[in-house]
Amino acid sequence: MALFADLNIVNTPDTDRKRLQSLIENAAHLGYSTVAINHVAEFQGKKQEIAKPISVTELYPSPPIVQGKSKPIKILTRLTVIVSDAAHCNDLRITSPHTRSYDIVAVLPKTEKLFHVACMTLDIDLICINVIEKQPYHFRRPSVNGNIIMSSAAERPLELRGPYDIANLGLLFGLTEGDAKAALSTNCRAALLHGETRKTALGVIYTVKKVSATEEKDEGTPLSKRAKTKSD
């Protein structure tokens, strides 16, 4: 059975704790194994300060159990930065250390130029597109020829839909059945893995001395256990 994720549970300034808990409980009831609480920040000038992420342990010491599974729902934090100027992209690279504290970092570009900058140069996990609004530019295939993720942007429990309902909606957007399902499962896991790598400064590389076959023979070490270089 696929593990579904909704990586956009919106946390607005007027969202109280009980409403956020109800959103997460409803997501678990609908069968989502992972959700991300999304904090949206819009840069208005230079050197913007990013608020620290919400404390997941304080919000939910014991997260609800996912429907049909024996494990609790996984709750992550996400930061979405709205950028409307090229300087904002530079600020995003050097801004508050709280940025690195988020599990997922996303950018919502407001112009075509910023969209391409986000695609090519920014070390982020997601690039956002608001599909319910007409965009002022066209998307070129080379820029968007990657993994697509669909999320709810829900602010209230009733705005959530089951993962299979969302996958069916993907068919209306022109996705194949497999791509629509991946947009809620495998593609989400790829974004989360990218976020983990980003938080650890592009990963940690482990190296060990390569042992020759002669040395292995002399030491009685089987060739099947030959030391390999491993990167995470």
Side-chain angles (χ1 to χ4, degrees):
M1 182 180 295
L3 299 178
F4 295 110
D6 187 338
L7 302 185
N8 192 2
I9 301 296
V10 178
N11 182 28
T12 62
D14 61 345
T15 301
D16 57 38
R17 179 169 179 163
K18 289 185 177 180
R19 184 192 298 178
L20 201 54
Q21 289 175 330
S22 296
L23 271 166
I24 296 171
E25 290 170 1
N26 196 28
H29 178 73
L30 290 171
Y32 290 98
S33 297
T34 303
V35 294
I37 301 174
N38 187 19
H39 172 73
V40 180
E42 184 169 6
F43 282 175
Q44 299 292 340
K46 295 184 178 180
K47 298 182 180 180
Q48 294 291 313
E49 183 68 18
I50 299 296
K52 64 180 181 179
I54 188 172
S55 173
V56 173
T57 55
E58 292 181 5
L59 178 67
Y60 253 122
S62 299
I65 301 298
V66 178
Q67 180 74 18
K69 300 182 182 296
S70 59
K71 295 182 179 181
I73 191 170
K74 186 176 183 180
I75 305 172
L76 304 175
T77 58
R78 166 180 164 176
L79 170 68
T80 299
V81 179
I82 302 174
V83 293
S84 55
D85 187 271
H88 299 161
C89 295
N90 295 327
D91 293 340
L92 186 60
R93 297 185 180 98
I94 60 176
T95 191
S96 166
H98 291 320
T99 302
R100 190 176 292 275
S101 302
Y102 285 87
D103 297 305
I104 304 169
V105 175
V107 164
L108 197 162
K110 302 296 287 186
T111 67
E112 182 176 12
K113 180 179 179 180
L114 292 174
F115 176 79
H116 292 297
V117 169
C119 289
M120 302 301 178
T121 66
L122 293 183
D123 185 21
I124 54 178
D125 310 312
L126 294 174
I127 299 173
C128 305
I129 301 172
N130 191 341
V131 296
I132 64 175
E133 296 180 359
K134 184 178 180 180
Q135 302 300 316
Y137 57 93
H138 297 286
F139 301 104
R140 298 175 182 175
R141 186 176 183 83
S143 300
V144 297
N145 193 24
N147 294 333
I148 296 175
I149 290 174
M150 293 189 294
S151 56
S152 66
E155 297 182 20
R156 298 172 179 80
L158 290 178
E159 294 175 350
L160 283 170
R161 295 293 182 270
Y164 289 102
D165 292 337
I166 301 300
N168 289 333
L169 184 62
L171 300 179
L172 300 179
F173 296 150
L175 299 178
T176 66
E177 183 177 351
D179 288 342
K181 187 176 180 180
L184 298 165
S185 54
T186 55
N187 295 351
C188 294
R189 290 200 296 273
L192 297 179
L193 179 60
H194 188 277
E196 292 176 3
T197 304
R198 173 185 49 77
K199 290 179 67 176
T200 54
L202 300 181
V204 179
I205 299 177
Y206 300 91
T207 60
V208 296
K209 179 182 178 182
K210 184 177 181 180
V211 182
S212 67
T214 302
E215 291 173 330
E216 287 182 329
K217 183 177 181 180
D218 293 340
E219 297 176 3
T221 304
L223 291 178
S224 60
K225 295 184 179 180
R226 179 175 300 177
K228 296 181 179 180
T229 300
K230 176 184 178 184
S231 62
D232 290 336

